[in-house]
């Protein structure tokens, strides 16, 4: 399930970044375009943080 969510976030990040570039280049809407690019970069950052393997948790010892 986590892989599916990360894939959807990557697709959304690509679409937001491309949409932001389109908004700046074709429509001249700089403010909205920059906000879309920033939102796409935040999504890429979230995926990168989630994909980095963390330290293994120690096993609870039985007493």
């Amino acid at each position: 399930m986590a892989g599916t969510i990360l894939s959807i976030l990557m697709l959304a990040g690509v679409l937001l970044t491309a949409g932001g570039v389109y908004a700046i280049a074709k429509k001249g809407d700089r403010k909205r375009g920059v906000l879309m690019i920033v939102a796409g970069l935040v999504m890429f950052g979230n995926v990168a943080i989630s994909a980095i393997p963390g330290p293994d948790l120690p096993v609870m010892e039985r007493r």
Side-chain angles (χ1 to χ4, degrees):
M1 184 68 177
T4 304
I5 293 172
L6 292 177
S7 297
I8 291 171
L9 278 174
M10 284 297 292
L11 289 173
V14 169
L15 291 175
L16 274 171
T17 305
V21 171
Y22 175 78
I24 292 172
K26 298 288 184 182
K27 296 197 173 199
D29 193 0
R30 183 181 177 129
K31 182 179 178 182
R32 197 169 290 166
V34 170
L35 287 173
M36 289 173 71
I37 291 172
V38 170
L41 293 176
V42 167
M43 287 190 178
F44 291 142
N46 287 337
V47 170
I49 290 170
S50 297
I52 295 174
D56 292 334
L57 297 175
V59 178
M60 298 288 286
E61 294 181 17
R62 294 184 184 181
R63 294 182 184 190

